[in-house]
Amino acid sequence: MSQTAAQQTANPAAAGKAASVVSLRAVLLGLTGVLFICGLTPYNDYVLDNTFLVGNFLPIGLVLFMLFLVLGVNALLHRLIPSRALRGGEMAVILGMTLISCTLPSSGLMRYLPATLVGVYQHAGIDGDYGRIFRELNLPDWMFPRFESDRFEDRVNDPVLKDYWGRVQIDQPNFRSNIAAVPWRAWAMPALTWGVLLVFVYGAVLCLTVALRRQWVENERLAFPIASVYLSLIEPPEKGRLVNALFRARSFWIALGLVFLIHSTTPLNQYYPRYVPRIPINFDLNAVFSEGNLQYVAGTFKASRIFFCVVGVVFFLQTKLAFSVWCFFALHQLVNVGYGIYGAEFARAAQQDQMFGAVVAYGLLVLWIGRGQWWLILRQMVRGPREREPRGRYLPYPLAGWGLLLCCAGIVAWLMAVGASLVGSVVLVFMLLLTFVVVARVAAETGLVFVQFQAALYRPWIFALTELPTPVRTTPQSFFMSAWFHNLFTNDSREMASVYSTHALRVADDAAYRQGGAASPYRFMLVLALALIVGYFIAGVSSLYIQYNYASTRSMSPVAPVNPWGLDTAPRDVVLAPTRDYLPPRTGPAEAHSRRGHFGLGVALTTGLAALQWRFVNWPLHPIGYLLMYTWPIHHTWFSIFLGWLAKVLVVRFGGARGFRAGRPFFIGLVVGEAATAAFWLIVSLVRDSMGLSYYAVRLLPG
């Protein structure tokens, strides 16, 4: 009998208590969080142009919503009706539902899905090469909005596309006319067909999460630093208290207040430059690094700024990991200087191939480390679970295993219906899931709020065409869909579903199901699925509404169209351009570096660093540092990572474990303070905009 089952048998009361955490009120409040995140995010991110409401693995909108529940709702219930206060398990359900929905309204999905459906047509109508390619692909109509004409030339000028790009002209704007401006019927078919695909994709993510949980949480005991922040926020207060120890800690409020004060000086300086000075939180050493060999150092190393939420989260990170991340970025500058001295260029494509090799190697290493767990699941899929075997906390392992295979088969079938080949579809699904696993693993180990890799899902086909003794070229549809999936799911991985789902289960482990309860945890997976389904429709409606009703952002420095990266740049540069370079008579992108050499270097360095880490306990460099070295988030957050690492080293050196525990509230206060500041200035923007007043967009995190 498994430990969980034994606890349930020995303590039925505990099992009943665990079953009650998925209560009706918890589910309704979770759906309220889904509505808040998925409904407001498109307007905040792409019309107001504020700090992204989600934007990373520690979403500002989620922190704001949970703070409202903890300090506004639950504290009041503890004061007036203590028996009706939300329990920790119910808070975990609410947080999990809201968290998983964060993958939908912006960079995780809606920033790219409807925009690419319009953007590829737009560029195909402008550029002759793209138009020829797009016609030759002969993609099915059910992928796209419904058009009035079957002719390609008419479709690129159809109002469904043109109005999405530049808004519908309305004589007397009001909410009713704005709703009517959206061609809902034209979008019904792609909402359904892409929704089918997303059922398989997110189903695979949830099943994969269940399969990985025991290995990462119980066997390897990964840190999950971001989950520690969530758990500190929702921890129930002691009996007789209104809030938990975190919110009673003076250092928490000092940190929050300092961050709020420092950040608020920037917008106040914009509004009242004569009266409010700006407190700088950045440095710029370009003048110092302008001559000699130092001129070759990356610009983001010469000038950077402080992100307080990164500093706060890194405090909870393993010291060796934090050191590796910023140290490898510093070592990268030595490589840049070396290339510069010899008059060479360390091309971005060469970096991409190193990262391609590193991601593949690290992903396979992660799977190899967990091979015992995978064999356990495979055995149970074939002959069922036996008495003393672990059975899976949130889903039975046979169900998770077969569910994962079924969802993968569904993705393959969908791709083949589009026109991709069987082999091309299987390779794409493998690369997609491998990337999901690697990003989730890095987030679980490091706690970094933004992880991104430069390993395109179509890169294997570039290697097959140019690096094999006998070139292998996949079908045009297979390559095109690989590029499209890369744009949709993995190119901008700041809001990835696999990270949110693994953290949702980690929070539920401690807050809801630590005492067992064999049947009730399955309900947790059901409410996560419910949040994804409801969030998909809310996020879709909100995204279409803003696109057809706003031609530009509403800040004092307007940008047109709204969501320019998702609508204009990404469809051209991430989807169409790589496809054009791959299809005959071309033979892939023109790149001077050795693809095999850089790919092999990525594999060798990642494998070697992992072996040294396992062999020598005190080996200082973790392979994740190399894995992230060239990526955009590290370029912009390395200095904050360094500060978080330095703070922890000093606190532990002079205060020991006691000092670390005492510092926890302060560093969580840094995280919450940045979220609270962004929320406050979001409200200011909304109020000023509703009053017809101009406002300045406030961006506190890298966007």
Side-chain angles (χ1 to χ4, degrees):
M1 182 179 293
S2 69
Q3 182 180 1
T4 300
Q7 289 173 335
Q8 179 192 9
T9 304
N11 191 357
K17 183 178 180 180
S20 67
V21 302
V22 187
S23 61
L24 178 60
R25 64 176 183 170
V27 174
L28 292 177
L29 285 171
L31 291 176
T32 303
V34 173
L35 175 62
F36 170 69
I37 291 292
C38 295
L40 183 59
T41 295
Y43 185 77
N44 171 76
D45 292 8
Y46 305 117
V47 178
L48 297 181
D49 198 29
N50 278 327
T51 301
F52 285 174
L53 200 62
V54 180
N56 55 65
F57 303 143
L58 189 64
I60 286 176
L62 171 70
V63 174
L64 174 65
F65 181 71
M66 297 310 297
L67 284 176
F68 170 74
L69 282 183
V70 171
L71 300 178
V73 175
N74 222 31
L76 188 62
L77 289 174
H78 276 292
R79 176 67 180 242
L80 301 177
I81 320 174
S83 62
R84 295 293 185 181
L86 293 163
R87 298 186 301 278
E90 290 178 302
M91 296 294 282
V93 171
I94 298 166
L95 186 144
M97 293 179 66
T98 309
L99 180 61
I100 195 70
S101 74
C102 288
T103 196
L104 299 165
S106 186
S107 298
L109 182 67
M110 289 299 171
R111 186 182 189 182
Y112 300 109
L113 176 54
T116 304
L117 291 171
V118 170
V120 291
Y121 260 108
Q122 182 77 13
H123 287 294
I126 296 173
D127 188 290
D129 283 345
Y130 295 153
R132 175 184 57 81
I133 291 169
F134 196 68
R135 286 192 294 267
E136 291 176 357
L137 289 172
N138 194 29
L139 299 172
D141 287 343
W142 49 259
M143 291 178 62
F144 299 94
R146 189 183 66 186
F147 303 107
E148 295 297 328
S149 173
D150 292 333
R151 297 180 66 248
F152 174 79
E153 293 76 9
D154 295 334
R155 288 186 172 188
V156 297
N157 294 299
D158 193 286
V160 172
L161 268 60
K162 291 299 182 182
D163 292 341
Y164 187 99
W165 192 282
R167 86 180 283 266
V168 177
Q169 298 298 323
I170 302 174
D171 294 333
Q172 296 181 341
N174 55 59
F175 183 71
R176 184 174 181 179
S177 59
N178 289 346
I179 288 288
V182 182
W184 301 109
R185 292 185 179 180
W187 285 92
M189 180 57 72
L192 177 62
T193 55
W194 284 89
V196 170
L197 170 68
L198 293 171
V199 166
F200 293 128
V201 171
Y202 293 139
V205 168
L206 293 178
C207 292
L208 193 61
T209 300
V210 171
L212 292 169
R213 189 207 71 83
R214 177 173 171 269
Q215 176 64 28
W216 289 3
V217 174
E218 299 178 19
N219 295 345
E220 298 183 56
R221 298 185 181 275
L222 300 185
F224 285 90
I226 297 176
S228 298
V229 176
Y230 293 146
L231 287 164
S232 297
L233 294 178
I234 68 172
E235 181 183 4
E238 299 88 341
K239 187 175 182 179
R241 299 281 191 173
L242 302 185
V243 293
N244 63 36
L246 172 68
F247 296 107
R248 300 198 308 272
R250 182 179 302 176
S251 59
F252 170 83
W253 294 105
I254 290 173
L256 188 152
L258 286 173
V259 172
F260 184 87
L261 174 64
I262 292 170
H263 273 317
S264 294
T265 60
T266 298
L268 286 173
N269 176 262
Q270 291 175 307
Y271 288 117
Y272 310 107
R274 294 179 57 187
Y275 304 104
V276 181
R278 176 179 175 270
I279 299 178
I281 55 172
N282 63 304
F283 68 86
D284 190 340
L285 301 178
N286 275 287
V288 178
F289 287 75
S290 61
E291 298 179 357
N293 295 333
L294 295 179
Q295 65 180 301
Y296 302 115
V297 171
T300 49
F301 190 78
K302 303 174 189 178
S304 188
R305 59 166 292 184
I306 299 173
F307 298 103
F308 291 102
C309 70
V310 176
V311 176
V313 171
V314 169
F315 183 77
F316 299 93
L317 175 59
Q318 186 185 38
T319 306
K320 181 169 66 174
L321 260 173
F323 171 78
S324 297
V325 173
W326 71 260
C327 181
F328 266 105
F329 183 72
L331 293 174
H332 174 33
Q333 307 318 308
L334 297 179
V335 177
N336 287 337
V337 170
Y339 270 85
I341 291 173
Y342 288 99
E345 179 188 3
F346 192 13
R348 184 170 181 269
Q351 298 175 17
Q352 288 177 330
D353 281 333
Q354 281 191 37
M355 291 302 95
F356 177 33
V359 168
V360 170
Y362 193 75
L364 294 178
L365 284 171
V366 169
L367 297 178
W368 173 255
I369 293 170
R371 61 191 181 279
Q373 174 70 4
W374 293 111
W375 279 115
L376 170 68
I377 295 173
L378 184 60
R379 288 196 302 269
Q380 292 195 9
M381 289 170 61
V382 175
R383 44 87 168 154
R386 293 184 177 173
E387 185 177 355
R388 295 185 178 275
E389 289 181 339
R391 297 174 181 243
R393 172 169 289 181
Y394 295 95
L395 283 178
Y397 286 144
L399 180 59
W402 287 114
L404 177 60
L405 289 180
L406 178 63
C407 289
C408 290
I411 301 171
V412 169
W414 193 94
L415 287 167
M416 293 180 68
V418 170
S421 67
L422 175 60
V423 173
S425 301
V426 170
V427 170
L428 174 54
V429 170
F430 173 77
M431 287 294 299
L432 179 66
L433 294 184
L434 188 72
T435 306
F436 282 164
V437 169
V438 173
V439 175
R441 172 73 180 216
V442 172
E445 285 199 79
T446 66
L448 295 177
V449 297
F450 185 4
V451 174
Q452 187 179 48
F453 299 120
Q454 300 176 1
L457 299 182
Y458 56 76
R459 202 65 184 175
W461 296 116
I462 302 295
F463 274 70
L465 181 63
T466 62
E467 305 302 316
L468 295 180
T470 303
V472 175
R473 192 191 293 268
T474 190
T475 63
Q477 292 84 355
S478 297
F479 189 93
F480 180 78
M481 292 310 301
S482 297
W484 196 327
F485 269 45
H486 175 58
N487 179 51
L488 186 59
F489 294 115
T490 62
N491 184 51
D492 190 356
S493 54
R494 70 180 70 213
E495 300 169 6
M496 187 168 279
S498 59
V499 177
Y500 294 141
S501 61
T502 50
H503 280 73
L505 264 60
R506 184 67 189 90
V507 170
D509 282 340
D510 275 7
Y513 299 114
R514 179 179 291 180
Q515 299 303 320
S520 62
Y522 303 162
R523 302 179 190 177
F524 189 77
M525 301 304 295
L526 291 177
V527 296
L528 292 186
L530 175 65
L532 285 169
I533 294 170
V534 173
Y536 171 68
F537 287 102
I538 295 173
V541 168
S542 181
S543 297
L544 292 177
Y545 178 88
I546 67 154
Q547 288 291 163
Y548 282 100
N549 286 284
Y550 296 96
S552 65
T553 60
R554 298 177 66 84
S555 65
M556 288 189 182
S557 301
V559 176
V562 296
N563 186 20
W565 170 260
L567 180 58
D568 184 19
T569 309
R572 180 188 64 237
D573 294 349
V574 183
V575 180
L576 289 169
T579 305
R580 177 198 59 197
D581 293 339
Y582 178 80
L583 296 182
R586 302 194 186 194
T587 56
E591 297 167 348
H593 70 281
S594 168
R595 294 190 179 109
R596 266 184 292 183
H598 282 275
F599 177 85
L601 180 62
V603 171
L605 284 177
T606 303
T607 307
L609 287 167
L612 289 169
Q613 178 200 2
W614 295 333
R615 180 66 178 83
F616 303 104
V617 176
N618 294 323
W619 175 254
L621 297 178
H622 195 285
I624 284 180
Y626 171 67
L627 198 65
L628 299 173
M629 181 168 63
Y630 303 126
T631 63
W632 188 90
I634 300 304
H635 272 260
H636 291 270
T637 62
W638 73 268
F639 185 63
S640 300
I641 295 169
F642 167 76
L643 291 179
W645 166 82
L646 181 62
K648 182 175 181 180
V649 168
L650 294 176
V651 168
V652 174
R653 174 68 178 83
F654 294 105
R658 183 177 181 181
F660 176 76
R661 288 192 297 270
R664 285 174 57 92
F666 181 86
F667 286 91
I668 294 177
L670 296 181
V671 176
V672 177
E674 201 145 62
T677 309
F680 175 81
W681 289 103
L682 162 63
I683 295 171
V684 170
S685 301
L686 287 169
V687 171
R688 291 182 66 91
D689 184 59
S690 66
M691 296 172 63
L693 301 174
S694 57
Y695 67 92
Y696 288 99
V698 177
R699 306 296 291 270
L700 303 184
L701 295 173

